[in-house]
Amino acid sequence: MELVAGCYEQVLFGFSVRPEPKASGDHQKWTPVADFTHHAHTASLSAVAANSRFVVTGSKDETIHIYDMKKKIDHGALVHHNGTITCLKFHGNRHLISGAEDGLICVWDAKKWECLKSIKAHKGHVTFLSIHPSGKLALSVGTDKTLRTWNLVEGRSAFIKNIKQNAHIVEWSPRGEKYVVVTLDKIDVYHLDTAAVSGTITNEKRVSSVTFLSESVLAVAGDEEVVRFFDTDSLMCLCEFKAHENRVKDMFSFEIPEHHVIVTASSDGFIKMWKLAQDMKVPPSLLCEVNTNARLTCLGVWLDSVTDAKESLPPAAEPSAVSKEQPKGSKKESGDAVQEEARQSKPNTKKRDLTGVSEKPTTGSGLVAAKKRKVGEILEKKRKKKKIGVMQ
């Protein structure tokens, strides 16, 4: 197991975590050992994601870097976005989806590292995206005050929902029966079968990260030292605990044999691993911690085995209710579905992948070899092109 975290100082940290032999009657101790530091970006890191082979990082330098965790080498860079990379999500080991401040959502082949689909998703920035556990749907939020549903089977927009403010987080539950949309300190809980808000949770401070611990329990971190567990049905706070000395920037939860774990990363430089109690009303116990001495921004966990946390959860709910939802054409109130897809795509008998597109890549959007083209050179070429354009 490897804890990976990015920071303002442009570095990706990797810490290998192994359980120590447990003496009878003692609590098992876990020890983090510094494994690597990777300085591939030319600006602060903004997103990180991992599958069973690779860790990918996004940055304000507009690039996505790939790190091969098996070989412990830089695997190259993806250069397609023109703006800060805001979110990175793997679906299985075959696809990576990225979102950025250029308003684009890109779907990448995570084997050949080619861009399969580039979608102009939002009029403003894409601030966050989440893939349904079934892989059939994705949700995205942006600075155009919309929540958008994407049909990943056919690679097209399904619905656009106007919301009153710019949301900065959206997250599906483990089974995909509900999702949450975060705006400042407010967390709206939606149910898949109705696609309507069933309740709202209010946090003490602006929310910085959320992660589902079960289908009904949501961990919430904000611009403070405390992490809270909320019941998304009753909307009640189950427990809270002081996790760090400074604000918590990111969280990640997963399950391994005998342990249900939540990892937290903070601006105080610490990454901490906590063991959850069976009763979510009981605060978790600290398994281990490590100080990076950096201002952490994003967090991920690379699990050495193919089996990950989600495989131990019940099967995902099929998103039939959302896909069949009909928007109310006569009503255009904020918060209602105001626009359905403009056109229904024609049936296609050809075999489709996750995005409904062939494995043919988008032109000029392949993997950039790290040794042949450095990030700095790529950015310099962009600047020169902009200057030439201005002069003409």
Side-chain angles (χ1 to χ4, degrees):
M1 184 197 309
E2 196 104 6
L3 307 179
V4 290
C7 64
Y8 282 109
E9 290 80 5
Q10 307 172 10
V11 174
L12 175 70
F13 296 97
F15 294 92
S16 178
V17 182
R18 294 283 183 274
E20 294 180 4
K22 184 173 66 171
S24 59
D26 292 343
H27 291 291
Q28 189 165 40
K29 293 182 180 179
W30 293 68
T31 305
V33 178
D35 189 26
F36 69 87
T37 55
H38 189 48
H39 195 163
H41 291 283
T42 59
S44 60
L45 275 68
S46 49
V48 62
N51 67 6
S52 65
R53 177 67 184 268
F54 299 100
V55 167
V56 293
T57 54
S59 167
K60 288 189 175 182
D61 66 14
E62 307 179 357
T63 67
I64 300 166
H65 267 268
I66 309 159
Y67 192 73
D68 189 325
M69 292 298 288
K70 299 286 189 182
K71 297 179 179 178
K72 295 294 170 67
I73 58 171
D74 190 323
H75 195 70
L78 302 175
V79 183
H80 185 84
H81 288 287
N82 290 305
T84 296
I85 310 300
T86 55
C87 42
L88 294 167
K89 301 286 181 181
F90 275 108
H91 181 69
N93 289 318
R94 190 61 194 269
H95 295 96
L96 170 71
I97 302 185
S98 61
E101 288 187 356
D102 56 7
L104 294 180
I105 288 177
C106 295
V107 182
W108 303 88
D109 183 324
K111 301 285 186 184
K112 300 176 182 177
W113 295 110
E114 295 168 339
C115 184
L116 300 175
K117 188 89 170 176
S118 182
I119 306 165
K120 181 60 179 175
H122 288 269
K123 293 178 182 177
H125 303 167
V126 177
T127 52
F128 212 87
L129 62 87
S130 182
I131 305 169
H132 189 272
S134 69
K136 294 180 180 181
L137 290 178
L139 294 170
S140 67
V141 289
T143 55
D144 54 1
K145 298 181 181 179
T146 63
L147 165 66
R148 300 186 183 230
T149 306
W150 302 96
N151 183 330
L152 294 181
V153 177
E154 299 182 5
R156 58 177 170 80
S157 171
F159 300 100
I160 302 172
K161 197 179 193 75
N162 283 340
I163 49 182
K164 294 179 181 179
Q165 291 177 292
N166 290 327
H168 61 282
I169 298 173
V170 61
E171 192 72 43
W172 285 104
S173 64
R175 288 202 301 260
E177 294 175 356
K178 63 182 71 167
Y179 53 95
V180 294
V181 177
V182 181
T183 307
L184 299 175
D185 61 344
K186 299 286 192 300
I187 304 165
D188 287 331
V189 182
Y190 290 76
H191 277 269
L192 178 68
D193 53 357
T194 61
V197 177
S198 61
T200 300
I201 295 167
T202 302
N203 196 45
E204 292 285 327
K205 301 276 188 177
R206 181 186 183 275
V207 176
S208 57
S209 179
V210 300
T211 185
F212 276 94
L213 305 179
S214 69
E215 191 63 23
S216 60
V217 179
L218 183 73
V220 178
D223 292 343
E224 56 185 333
E225 307 87 358
V226 173
V227 172
R228 295 180 179 87
F229 296 167
F230 286 94
D231 186 311
T232 56
D233 295 322
S234 68
L235 309 177
M236 299 295 290
C237 181
L238 301 176
C239 78
E240 65 175 68
F241 63 98
K242 183 179 179 181
H244 292 271
E245 295 300 322
N246 208 327
R247 58 184 177 175
V248 180
K249 293 292 288 185
D250 205 357
M251 297 186 297
F252 190 91
S253 66
F254 61 96
E255 287 184 68
I256 52 177
E258 299 182 13
H259 288 80
H260 191 175
V261 176
I262 184 170
V263 186
T264 57
S266 167
S267 299
D268 64 11
F270 278 87
I271 305 170
K272 297 187 180 184
M273 205 164 98
W274 310 80
K275 180 181 179 180
L276 296 168
Q278 284 190 329
D279 183 358
M280 291 295 180
K281 293 180 181 179
V282 178
S285 55
L286 185 65
L287 289 172
C288 65
E289 63 181 11
V290 62
N291 188 4
T292 64
N293 293 305
R295 294 172 294 167
L296 300 177
T297 56
C298 50
L299 173 71
V301 175
W302 178 73
L303 298 169
D304 203 357
S305 61
V306 176
T307 305
D308 62 16
K310 291 183 180 178
E311 290 187 2
S312 65
L313 294 164
E318 287 298 312
S320 55
V322 169
S323 60
K324 291 179 182 177
E325 176 193 353
Q326 295 297 323
K328 300 172 184 177
S330 59
K331 294 184 180 181
K332 295 195 177 182
E333 298 174 6
S334 179
D336 290 337
V338 296
Q339 183 179 337
E340 193 185 4
E341 53 203 328
R343 300 182 189 126
Q344 294 287 342
S345 60
K346 296 179 181 178
N348 193 337
T349 56
K350 293 181 181 179
K351 187 178 178 181
R352 294 175 179 273
D353 66 356
L354 175 75
T355 60
V357 295
S358 65
E359 297 295 330
K360 189 176 180 181
T362 303
T363 306
S365 301
L367 179 66
V368 179
K371 293 181 181 179
K372 292 181 180 179
R373 293 179 67 185
K374 293 182 180 179
V375 174
E377 293 170 350
I378 297 164
L379 295 177
E380 187 61 31
K381 285 181 182 178
K382 285 185 181 179
R383 292 191 195 100
K384 286 180 180 178
K385 284 181 182 178
K386 287 179 183 178
K387 286 181 181 179
I388 291 169
V390 172
M391 290 170 69
Q392 289 176 344

